[in-house]
């Protein structure tokens, strides 16, 4: 199980970041206070993780690329998911939730196929012909704007682990205590500035300014990356 490193001054607090860029700058500065990170590669989970990852990469002088992961939506919903599909085709299912929902094999297969198609569309849109860097031997820093269930991050970790990185860090501005505990068990270190243990948790509650980034904004974020 990896260590959890947080900022004690921000525990249990809400609205501690003005924006995702502010959160990324604070996270990048915090990472620089930790023991030196060797050969870092920042992989940001779109959409909200991209501005965070951009600031972290800038602080560390590290390359930035994407870890495109999409939730497998529960049929009939727009936000909730019971699994995730990654950029390299890996599928992770929350089996307990799937069983609780009583989803049929047909439901699951259809939802996976739709999600895989969406991932491929986003790969083409965001990366074009540019391949995602090979993380072998590197310290991979996975960023997102926060962890609610943590399941999307787990799927990304699963895919990265297969590619033999030297270390994997999950770096996020905010997380629920439960998701921090879950994700830390699958990485070498979890760095999270703002951990909250309340019964209800929303990533948005860490931010004074919160909205869903659209694809155009993600592309604008990536346009300035070397």
């Amino acid at each position: 199980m990896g260590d959890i490193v947080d900022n004690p001054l921000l525990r249990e607090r809400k609205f501690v970041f003005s924006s995702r860029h502010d959160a990324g700058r604070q996270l990048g500065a915090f990472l620089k206070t930790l023991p030196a990170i060797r050969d870092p590669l920042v992989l940001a989970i779109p959409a909200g993780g991209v501005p965070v990852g951009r600031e972290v990469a800038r602080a560390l002088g590290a390359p930035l690329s994407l870890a495109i992961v999409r939730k497998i939506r529960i049929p009939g919903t727009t936000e909730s998911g019971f699994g995730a599909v990654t950029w390299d085709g890996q599928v992770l299912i929350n089996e307990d939730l799937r069983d609780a929902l009583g989803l049929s094999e047909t439901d699951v297969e259809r939802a996976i196929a739709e999600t895989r198609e969406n991932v491929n569309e986003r790969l083409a849109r965001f990366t074009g012909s540019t391949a995602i860097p090979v993380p072998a031997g590197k310290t991979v820093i996975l960023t997102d704007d926060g962890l609610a269930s943590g399941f999307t991050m787990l799927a990304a970790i699963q895919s990265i682990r297969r590619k033999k990185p030297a270390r994997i860090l999950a770096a996020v501005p905010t997380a629920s205590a439960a998701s921090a505990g879950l994700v830390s068990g699958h990485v070498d270190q979890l760095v999270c500035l703002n951990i909250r243990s309340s019964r209800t948790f929303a990533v948005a509650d860490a931010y004074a300014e919160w909205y869903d980034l659209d694809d155009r904004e993600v592309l604008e974020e990536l346009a300035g990356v070397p």
Side-chain angles (χ1 to χ4, degrees), residues 128-211:
S129 59
T130 303
I132 291 175
V134 176
K138 297 183 179 295
T139 299
V140 175
I141 303 170
L142 285 163
T143 66
D144 206 345
D145 52 13
L147 303 177
S149 71
F151 211 77
T152 299
M153 181 65 77
L154 285 183
I157 292 164
Q158 173 181 274
S159 284
I160 292 297
R161 185 71 69 190
R162 295 168 185 250
K163 297 171 176 61
K164 308 300 183 184
R167 299 177 71 215
I168 301 177
L169 275 65
V172 293
T174 187
S176 68
S179 66
L182 174 65
V183 169
S184 69
H186 297 268
V187 293
D188 296 285
Q189 190 173 62
L190 169 68
V191 180
C192 177
L193 300 181
N194 167 241
I195 295 179
R196 286 176 275 136
S197 58
S198 56
R199 290 184 60 188
T200 59
F201 176 88
V203 169
D205 285 346
Y207 295 86
E209 175 189 293
W210 177 264
Y211 64 94

Side-chain angles (χ1 to χ4, degrees), residues 1 6 11 25 29 35 48 54 62 81 85 91 95 97 103 109 122 128-129 135 137 146 156 161 169 181 208 211 226:
M1 180 176 180
D6 74 327
R11 287 177 192 161
R25 285 190 288 269
R54 181 175 175 178
V85 175
V91 177
E95 298 291 353
L97 181 55
L103 297 174
E109 290 176 359
R122 288 166 77 82
S129 59
R161 185 71 69 190
L169 275 65
Y211 64 94

Side-chain angles (χ1 to χ4, degrees), residues 73-132:
R73 305 293 184 190
I74 296 171
T77 71
T78 57
E79 291 298 326
S80 301
F82 65 94
V85 175
T86 66
W87 67 97
D88 58 353
Q90 300 298 319
V91 177
L92 186 64
I93 300 292
N94 184 333
E95 298 291 353
D96 290 341
L97 181 55
R98 170 190 168 170
D99 291 344
L101 293 167
L103 297 174
S104 69
E105 196 65 33
T106 299
D107 289 335
V108 172
E109 290 176 359
R110 182 184 300 115
I112 290 173
E114 291 173 353
T115 307
R116 184 172 280 127
E117 181 178 353
N118 183 267
V119 168
N120 289 336
E121 289 173 352
R122 288 166 77 82
L123 267 172
R125 187 176 305 123
F126 294 151
T127 68
S129 59
T130 303
I132 291 175

Side-chain angles (χ1 to χ4, degrees), residues 29-61:
F30 189 79
L31 284 163
K32 290 185 71 173
T33 69
L34 304 180
I37 299 172
R38 300 183 60 182
D39 203 7
L41 168 64
V42 178
L43 296 181
I45 298 176
V50 175
V52 174
R54 181 175 175 178
E55 297 294 347
V56 168
R58 179 178 293 162
L60 300 179

